[in-house]
Amino acid sequence: MSDVGRKAHWENVYTTKGETEVSWYQESPAPSLELIALARLSADASIIDIGGGASRLVDALVDRNVGQITVLDLSAAALDAAKQRLGNKAANVRWEIADVTKWEPSQTYDLWHDRAAFHFLTDQADQSAYVDRLKKAVKRGGRVIIGTFALDGPEKCSGLPIVRYDAASLSGTLGSDFKLIDARRHDHATPWGAVQRFQFSTFRRA
Ligand SMILES: C[S@@+](CC[C@H](N)C(=O)[O-])C[C@H]1O[C@@H](n2cnc3c(N)ncnc32)[C@H](O)[C@@H]1O
């Protein structure tokens, strides 16, 4: 998919569908919060949610006073929805409209979180560009939490082809700078009751 097509797809999704009309909606991002808690971040830690969209993860992190939070997404409409929901609290968050494969990080982070964004990168060049950004943006010793569809999960997400992973294949794609420290599966229930099998893998940046 071209860069223009990718952006147009996501702007269309977030301008035409309500929050609970998308398969990835979660009222509570419990699996991600559990993994972030395991990182035992300090109060001044920096966190980035890649492809955060309109997810409620940012609300939960702001409410828990978890460090300095950045949400990055290709879609301005997605970030606007999250900002509107947060109201005054949105000012405590950094919002970046960018394609992660083209983005130039201006700071480093203690924790990188990505739920269901990386798996859309089906081209090897895009995957390499993503890993380059990971290397630039995550501090040595920092954590990387990536949720993708599992090997027995759906073949498409939002109507687009995706790549399914287990912890070993994701580890191979990220390379030796990222040491696998936690791997777990999660069955996500869509708003209409279908089950989507996810793989959540956590890495430590060497
Ligand atoms: C399936 S949604 C998941 C949203 C959110 N992480 C959640 O769990 O609710 C995928 C998100 O990734 C974003 N996205 C897709 N490709 C991207 C890219 N190359 N760069 C940045 N964001 C991207 C989309 O705009 C969308 O918000």
Side-chain angles (χ1 to χ4, degrees):
M1 184 183 257
S2 71
D3 295 351
V4 176
R6 187 184 273 169
K7 168 120 175 126
H9 173 86
W10 291 107
E11 293 295 9
N12 181 53
V13 166
Y14 286 106
T15 49
T16 59
K17 291 184 188 243
E19 188 184 19
T20 60
E21 291 176 314
V22 294
S23 60
W24 54 93
Y25 169 74
Q26 291 176 298
E27 193 177 335
S28 164
S32 298
L33 288 171
E34 204 173 301
L35 292 170
I36 292 169
L38 290 177
R40 298 184 186 282
L41 296 172
S42 62
D44 61 350
S46 46
I47 299 184
I48 186 159
D49 189 17
I50 297 291
S55 161
R56 290 176 176 248
L57 179 63
V58 63
D59 310 44
L61 295 175
V62 168
D63 286 346
R64 286 165 174 71
N65 282 319
V66 179
Q68 171 60 55
I69 305 152
T70 302
V71 182
L72 178 148
D73 202 277
L74 200 49
S75 164
L79 298 185
D80 283 346
K83 283 185 209 170
Q84 275 203 345
R85 197 180 60 235
L86 278 164
N88 292 340
K89 295 180 191 169
N92 300 329
V93 176
R94 292 185 188 153
W95 305 93
E96 293 209 35
I97 303 165
D99 183 325
V100 65
T101 65
K102 308 275 184 309
W103 172 59
E104 291 304 331
S106 58
Q107 65 166 96
T108 53
Y109 299 89
D110 296 289
L111 190 140
W112 170 295
H113 173 269
D114 173 333
R115 173 178 180 263
F118 177 69
H119 70 187
F120 289 104
L121 303 180
T122 55
D123 288 356
Q124 213 181 347
D126 283 339
Q127 293 166 3
S128 298
Y130 183 103
V131 175
D132 283 348
R133 269 74 193 169
L134 259 185
K135 288 180 184 164
K136 281 187 195 156
V138 179
K139 293 178 188 171
R140 293 198 178 276
R143 295 215 180 182
V144 177
I145 299 168
I146 300 183
T148 65
F149 283 167
L151 292 183
D152 54 356
E155 290 177 5
K156 288 192 169 188
C157 184
S158 189
L160 300 176
I162 53 93
V163 181
R164 298 178 293 180
Y165 292 92
D166 62 9
S169 59
L170 184 57
S171 195
T173 301
L174 299 191
S176 56
D177 282 345
F178 299 93
K179 185 179 169 357
L180 183 69
I181 55 172
D182 188 281
R184 53 185 75 186
R185 290 164 57 90
H186 171 70
D187 283 352
H188 166 64
T190 69
W192 44 94
V195 173
Q196 295 183 327
R197 300 216 155 98
F198 270 77
Q199 171 72 42
F200 279 87
S201 307
T202 305
F203 301 85
R204 184 182 298 112
R205 166 92 161 96

